[in-house]
Amino acid sequence: MKKEKIIELNEVWKIYKMDEVDFPALQGMNLEVNKGEFLAVVGPSGSGKSTALNAIGALDVPTKGVIYLDGKDISKLSESMLAQIRGKKIGFVFQSFHLIPSLSALENVALPMTFQRIQIAERMKKAKELLTSVGLGDKLNNLPSQLSGGERQRVAIARALANNPEVILADEPTGNLDSKTGVEILNLLKNLNKKEGKTLIVVTHDEKIAKEADRIAYLEDGKVVSVKK
Amino acid sequence: MINDYFLLAFNSIRHRQLRSWLTIIGIIIGVAAIVALISLSLGLQATIEEQFEAFGTDRLLIAAQGFQGPGTQSEGITDEDISILERMPEFKTISYGSARSGEVEFKKETKFPFVFGGRNGKELLESSTDIAEGRYLEDSDNNDVMIGSRVANDLFDDKVRLRNKISIAGKEFRVIGILEPIGNQQDDNTIYITLEAYREIFGETNQVDFISAQVKPGVDILSLQEEVKREFERQRGDKNIDVVTPTQILEQIGSILGVVQAVLVGIAAISLVVGGIGITNSMYTTVLERTKEIGIMKSIGATNFDVLSIFLIESGLMGLVGGFFGVILGTLISLGIGKFSTDAGFKLLVKVNPELMIFGLLFAFFVGMVSGSLPARQAAKLKPVDALRHE
């Protein structure tokens, strides 16, 4: 079966200007990700893992090079176009959950749909379904501060799925969790990949997570040094 | 969508209640000051207009130049000048008189209220003032007085009643009428006698301080005004007599009030500007505090426009809430001052003014939006990656 590419990075550079010194976080990175694939990105601190993830997720534009997402060059788009892409095609899961503290679990999950101008009744129905599917059907109205770390990450995963994106990007999703909860979260993400066919890219330090992936990309000095099956 | 912006903004305001309220108080004070001052000056204008209307606008007011009201010195109008007017067919009634502060004794107590001596003034008084007890003074009542309400009730230790005797500059008079309160202290503190009695006790011969000449229906009052001026000039050989209409005086008062109003509202506006700066300051702090939230919102698909709208509406909402309470407070303050002033003898007609209230509300919302626009732009322009990294 021929695999369809969903993400392609072509000679991507990201150079941060820090006072007088330029810091190159990505140095001509090349990477291809197939649709429905589970890719783990590993590497030492400062190797450019998060920068690469941000560039793939349209959170940031590269200094040089081209990024294709679903066949479309996203490396030179305006901020409002990038926001559209983030809202529709990408679901982010962060290490420190990044929920909005003043909103309930339900409202947090519904928020991405708000920005896609989806009607409130539909939003609330979908958010409820998503939270139920991650096992939080009984905590819809809890604020993030009233949830455990594992529960917060479940809310974040439900939120990442709100607009039914093709790609889930997770940056150290288990980094702030104990190992038992970490396994649960990993299983949840794997399920999304296996059962719903979402493309899953996970940046991690965790060998256990990396081993579960279809492929592992090793990064060093802002470049992919090897990709293993 | 705009509803969603409102909900998100409202949620955020609620989440930092204390600071929101402190910020809002700044707006409340500014709006309350503006609403109170505008409605008080509107009330003042309405009161003055009402008194002029009771007095009638179909007349010419004539006084010697330099005459600034009862108690001031004037020289000029003589009986001959009055007879110039009396020869003109356009006038219906010509009332005239003089006034000064006089020594008045009642039950061995001496005070110095205004004493007004008038002729042909009964109709004028009847139309502008109600009688509380007794009857109006006639031109033949040379041994009687009619007194204002403060003379009757407040001037002396004992109240002055009908048929009581009071003496003015040594001559004894009998009280035949007591007037209802008019609403300004000076008029309510006046004793009315006939011009003849006035001239007798104060030793004046043929002068008067002012004339109020009512014109017949259908007469063009402005051309009559010019004619009277010309006639005075021709007969007297000088320009010492002022001839004005009540409308012209009203316009003059109106333009002075306008200046006073502008100054007062300007001062109140300063406090609103300070309130607005409070909102700006608070919103900058909020943007800083919520930088990460802004990053989160952008990472899940919020555009710059979304973020801008949420923050603008948030500051507008603070303005609106401040405007709401400010309008209520300002209205209550002005009603309170109106009542206090009327009770104290200065009639002030303050009314609840719906247009002013709506204006105050919208203006506060506008001030909130303007104050929030810079912080909101800053929030909107944040780069998602930088914002997310913010701790």
Side-chain angles (χ1 to χ4, degrees):
Chain A
M1 187 176 83
K2 188 176 181 299
K3 283 179 180 166
E4 195 185 335
K5 265 186 289 181
I6 188 159
I7 294 158
E8 187 180 347
L9 280 74
N10 208 335
E11 277 295 312
V12 171
W13 286 74
K14 181 72 194 180
I15 299 164
Y16 290 110
K17 294 211 182 298
M18 299 164 102
D19 296 328
E20 301 289 299
V21 198
D22 286 353
F23 174 75
L26 298 180
Q27 306 181 38
M29 185 168 171
N30 293 301
L31 182 68
E32 288 180 5
V33 185
N34 297 319
K35 206 168 207 168
E37 186 182 21
F38 175 7
L39 176 78
V41 178
V42 297
S45 298
S47 59
K49 305 186 296 285
S50 294
T51 308
L53 202 71
N54 291 338
I56 294 169
L59 274 178
D60 209 352
V61 285
T63 315
K64 251 190 331 196
V66 185
I67 300 172
Y68 293 102
L69 176 68
D70 220 0
K72 191 176 175 189
D73 181 2
I74 61 163
S75 55
K76 288 167 193 75
L77 295 178
S78 68
E79 169 54 29
S80 67
M81 295 299 292
L82 291 175
Q84 283 300 310
I85 289 168
R86 292 194 292 268
K88 286 189 183 129
K89 304 216 164 191
I90 309 282
F92 281 101
V93 178
F94 300 97
Q95 177 175 5
S96 45
F97 325 129
H98 285 352
L99 300 176
I100 295 194
S102 60
L103 299 180
S104 69
L106 190 70
E107 289 163 336
N108 263 293
V109 176
L111 194 56
M113 294 183 265
T114 307
F115 296 128
Q116 298 307 318
R117 316 288 190 259
I118 290 166
Q119 290 298 309
I120 186 157
E122 198 185 332
R123 269 186 344 238
M124 289 305 165
K125 183 167 162 276
K126 181 90 186 286
K128 209 185 249 180
E129 284 169 13
L130 286 167
L131 279 169
T132 310
S133 75
V134 297
L136 288 176
D138 55 341
K139 302 209 164 156
L140 300 176
N141 295 314
N142 288 33
L143 291 174
S145 57
Q146 298 163 325
L147 298 169
S148 71
E151 287 169 336
R152 286 184 213 180
Q153 198 59 302
R154 285 165 191 269
V155 175
I157 291 171
R159 182 182 64 186
L161 296 169
N163 289 320
N164 198 21
E166 289 167 51
V167 181
I168 306 281
L169 302 178
D171 194 351
E172 302 277 8
T174 61
N176 279 6
L177 303 173
D178 61 66
S179 54
K180 182 171 165 280
T181 317
V183 169
E184 287 170 16
I185 292 297
L186 179 64
N187 287 336
L188 197 55
L189 289 170
K190 260 169 58 189
N191 256 333
L192 294 175
N193 172 245
K194 295 284 169 289
K195 292 195 176 146
E196 299 188 28
K198 306 278 184 207
T199 308
L200 177 64
I201 303 178
V202 179
V203 165
T204 185
H205 275 111
D206 190 337
E207 281 297 317
K208 270 186 287 180
I209 293 185
K211 264 188 261 168
E212 302 279 341
D214 300 329
R215 286 191 304 155
I216 308 174
Y218 291 91
L219 265 61
E220 237 170 73
D221 298 329
K223 271 187 274 200
V224 179
V225 288
S226 67
V227 179
K228 284 186 193 163
K229 287 254 175 188
Chain B
M1 193 59 212
I2 193 119
N3 291 343
D4 298 316
Y5 291 151
F6 263 101
L7 283 177
L8 284 168
F10 181 72
N11 199 287
S12 151
I13 292 176
R14 217 184 41 185
H15 202 66
R16 52 193 165 88
Q17 261 184 9
L18 178 65
R19 185 143 47 79
S20 301
W21 276 114
L22 289 175
T23 310
I24 287 168
I25 284 171
I27 294 293
I28 293 179
I29 293 170
V31 172
I34 287 187
V35 168
L37 287 173
I38 292 182
S39 59
L40 281 174
S41 56
L42 286 177
L44 190 58
Q45 205 169 344
T47 310
I48 291 170
E49 276 168 13
E50 192 208 57
Q51 291 190 347
F52 267 89
E53 256 162 46
F55 184 66
T57 52
D58 56 341
R59 49 183 71 247
L60 287 180
L61 303 174
I62 298 155
Q65 272 177 4
F67 180 74
Q68 300 286 327
T72 56
Q73 285 298 312
S74 75
E75 284 170 32
I77 306 178
T78 61
D79 286 350
E80 287 74 54
D81 298 326
I82 295 168
S83 54
I84 295 173
L85 299 178
E86 280 167 346
R87 283 197 297 272
M88 299 174 93
E90 290 91 342
F91 290 109
K92 190 175 155 208
T93 325
I94 297 167
S95 317
Y96 48 96
S98 294
R100 64 159 70 173
S101 172
E103 183 183 328
V104 177
E105 194 183 313
F106 175 64
K107 293 191 177 170
K108 301 208 159 46
E109 203 185 335
T110 305
K111 296 281 176 183
F112 293 88
F114 283 113
V115 177
F116 179 94
R119 187 177 288 160
N120 283 339
K122 190 181 164 217
E123 269 179 52
L124 186 55
L125 267 170
E126 273 174 345
S127 66
S128 60
T129 320
D130 288 328
I131 197 115
E133 288 175 65
R135 61 173 178 83
Y136 288 99
L137 192 72
E138 304 274 354
D139 280 345
S140 56
D141 294 329
N142 286 330
N143 296 312
D144 301 322
V145 297
M146 186 170 67
I147 59 179
S149 66
R150 292 184 79 86
V151 176
N153 299 315
D154 303 314
L155 187 62
F156 298 99
D157 289 343
D158 285 338
K159 288 190 174 186
V160 184
R161 299 279 164 77
L162 277 185
R163 289 179 292 280
N164 279 168
K165 303 271 187 191
I166 62 173
S167 85
I168 306 171
K171 178 176 157 63
E172 203 163 74
F173 290 88
R174 189 173 61 120
V175 177
I176 59 149
I178 298 172
L179 295 172
E180 288 280 3
I182 295 167
N184 77 64
Q185 277 214 358
Q186 185 167 303
D187 286 349
D188 287 337
N189 219 8
T190 296
I191 296 179
Y192 299 84
I193 58 178
T194 63
L195 185 62
E196 256 178 86
Y198 184 93
R199 285 179 169 173
E200 183 192 333
I201 59 176
F202 293 121
E204 279 186 7
T205 49
N206 87 15
Q207 292 214 338
V208 294
D209 290 336
F210 41 81
I211 303 171
S212 166
Q214 190 180 15
V215 300
K216 286 180 179 158
V219 173
D220 178 7
I221 196 158
L222 291 177
S223 54
L224 182 62
Q225 179 187 18
E226 289 310 311
E227 194 186 329
V228 169
K229 277 185 187 170
R230 273 199 307 274
E231 200 62 19
F232 275 142
E233 211 181 314
R234 198 168 63 82
Q235 304 257 354
R236 293 171 50 99
D238 64 27
K239 288 184 174 182
N240 284 349
I241 309 286
D242 280 335
V243 182
V244 294
T245 67
T247 316
Q248 287 160 350
I249 294 180
L250 203 57
E251 278 165 8
Q252 228 169 13
I253 292 175
S255 68
I256 294 167
L257 269 185
V259 173
V260 172
Q261 202 167 334
V263 170
L264 289 180
V265 171
I267 292 169
I270 292 172
S271 62
L272 194 59
V273 168
V274 174
I277 293 170
I279 290 192
T280 310
N281 185 26
S282 168
M283 290 305 294
Y284 267 123
T285 317
T286 306
V287 170
L288 210 61
E289 269 178 359
R290 290 168 62 203
T291 298
K292 194 166 192 169
E293 265 182 49
I294 294 162
I296 296 170
M297 288 200 276
K298 288 194 160 185
S299 74
I300 59 174
T303 59
N304 290 1
F305 178 77
D306 290 328
V307 174
L308 183 80
S309 306
I310 290 168
F311 277 80
L312 266 187
I313 287 176
E314 188 169 328
S315 60
L317 259 184
M318 283 205 273
L320 196 65
V321 173
F324 177 76
F325 289 106
V327 159
I328 291 176
L329 184 67
T331 306
L332 290 178
I333 288 174
S334 60
L335 289 175
I337 291 178
K339 186 174 184 319
F340 178 80
S341 169
T342 304
D343 289 349
F346 296 95
K347 190 171 174 190
L348 194 53
L349 295 167
V350 179
K351 277 185 288 188
V352 175
N353 187 333
E355 288 101 342
L356 180 63
M357 293 177 89
I358 291 168
F359 165 78
L361 214 55
L362 292 179
F363 190 60
F365 184 67
F366 175 73
V367 167
M369 297 262 272
V370 170
S371 309
S373 61
L374 284 177
R377 273 171 56 99
Q378 183 182 315
K381 282 197 310 207
L382 284 172
K383 285 193 176 161
V385 207
D386 298 339
L388 276 175
R389 222 180 282 138
H390 191 269
E391 286 302 328

